Amino acid sequence: MRAGEPLLSLRGASKSYTLGGNVIRALKSVDLGLVRGEIAAITGPSGSGKSTLLNLCGLLDTADGGELLFDGEPLPAGDDVRRTALRRQAIGFVFQGFNLVPVMTAHDNVDYPLYLLGVPAAERRARVQEALARVGLQDLGGHKPDQLSGGQRQRVAIARAIVKRPRLVIADEPTANLDAQTASQIVGLMRALAHNDGTSFLVATHDERMLPHCDRSLMLDDGVLQGGIHAH
Ligand SMILES: Nc1ncnc2c1ncn2[C@@H]1O[C@H](COP(=O)(O)OP(=O)(O)OP(=O)(O)O)[C@@H](O)[C@H]1O
Ligand SMILES: [Mg+2]
């Protein structure tokens, strides 16, 4: 697949939650196209549906209606086996608030997705070292999360997301609470991965510093997404 080719396509996706008898319409018929090697930012106020949209695109949750294609392949809500396999192999996640396992070292946190994929131990060691080096933490693999700074923890989370060489990285507020220098390192790393490896990024962010470095910025407002489809 070449740069500029569609990786993810979401059409007419809606999602409602029912809570205490109330129905919350979190996403209202959202259309979104993401191409290979592209960094797209999703902005919008708190509660506008950003995390909900990321969960659908990351195959962590299913829409109530609409259609999702990954690399041209339709992924209906009922196809759990294929969705799970694809999520493990092709999608990396950077969650709001790191989500590192506290009792595991940085090395073991980054290793875990490869372990789940059944990658042989020698190859895992090499790839974990490579991912840690890419985020500038090659010497800190033995540290546990509470022995690292906030920025270093976020870099471990990014190393964990990219170690399996995913085609898509879903990142929820990856630079929130980071100082300017660390935030700019994170953004530079994303740009390098998008450019060199063709990795696509879908990033929910409130961070104004990030937006100039993204290829597109899309606004969610009360579950309605503006400009989700490329103008050709
Ligand atoms: N599991 C859930 N059950 C019920 N309602 C939910 C659930 N998850 C989200 N919502 C509701 O759906 C709407 C969208 O939430 P979402 O988390 O997607 O917003 P967000 O844009 O990510 O907000 P933030 O910027 O605060 O992270 C909100 O009204 C929220 O309260
Ligand atoms: Mg959110």
Side-chain angles (χ1 to χ4, degrees):
M1 198 166 57
R2 295 188 311 273
E5 289 189 359
L7 179 71
L8 183 94
S9 167
L10 195 63
R11 295 290 152 118
S14 299
K15 180 77 183 175
S16 295
Y17 299 106
T18 307
L19 199 65
N22 290 325
V23 176
I24 299 154
R25 296 184 64 203
L27 292 178
K28 298 167 186 166
S29 194
V30 165
D31 294 324
L32 173 65
L34 190 67
V35 299
R36 188 167 144 85
E38 175 179 49
I39 304 179
I42 307 288
T43 66
S46 181
S48 58
K50 300 182 297 295
S51 295
T52 303
L53 178 60
L54 261 47
N55 288 343
L56 297 188
C57 293
L59 312 181
L60 290 165
D61 201 357
T62 52
D64 301 331
E67 188 188 40
L68 174 71
L69 281 84
F70 192 91
D71 203 3
E73 175 186 350
L75 290 175
D79 194 352
D80 278 342
V81 173
R82 184 65 187 137
R83 291 170 65 94
T84 302
L86 210 47
R87 185 172 65 237
R88 287 207 180 140
Q89 286 159 12
I91 306 178
F93 296 91
V94 181
F95 294 101
Q96 217 165 353
F98 315 140
N99 256 41
L100 299 173
V101 182
V103 296
M104 281 172 27
T105 62
H107 177 284
D108 291 351
N109 268 283
V110 176
D111 181 51
Y112 196 56
L114 296 182
Y115 168 79
L116 288 179
L117 282 173
V119 176
E123 186 184 339
R124 272 166 41 206
R125 263 195 303 281
R127 280 173 63 176
V128 170
Q129 268 315 311
E130 183 201 313
L132 285 172
R134 278 191 111 150
V135 299
L137 294 180
Q138 58 278 12
D139 299 326
L140 297 181
H143 287 231
K144 292 189 179 150
D146 66 359
Q147 299 164 330
L148 295 167
S149 70
Q152 289 168 340
R153 274 180 232 168
Q154 187 62 312
R155 285 190 274 158
V156 174
I158 289 174
R160 179 183 56 184
I162 63 172
V163 73
K164 58 188 171 185
R165 298 173 188 148
R167 283 182 275 167
L168 171 65
V169 173
I170 301 277
D172 208 342
E173 301 285 356
T175 56
N177 312 317
L178 296 184
D179 61 81
Q181 194 193 346
T182 311
S184 129
Q185 272 175 3
I186 301 285
V187 171
L189 183 70
M190 286 170 42
R191 281 246 62 101
L193 286 161
H195 186 260
N196 300 333
D197 300 14
T199 312
S200 304
F201 288 82
L202 189 61
V203 184
T205 186
H206 286 106
D207 190 345
E208 294 286 330
R209 299 172 301 187
M210 273 214 61
L211 299 182
H213 304 283
C214 295
D215 299 306
R216 290 156 81 201
S217 164
L218 313 175
M219 173 81 170
L220 250 180
D221 185 12
D222 197 18
V224 177
L225 185 70
Q226 306 291 344
I229 298 298
H230 288 93
H232 286 292

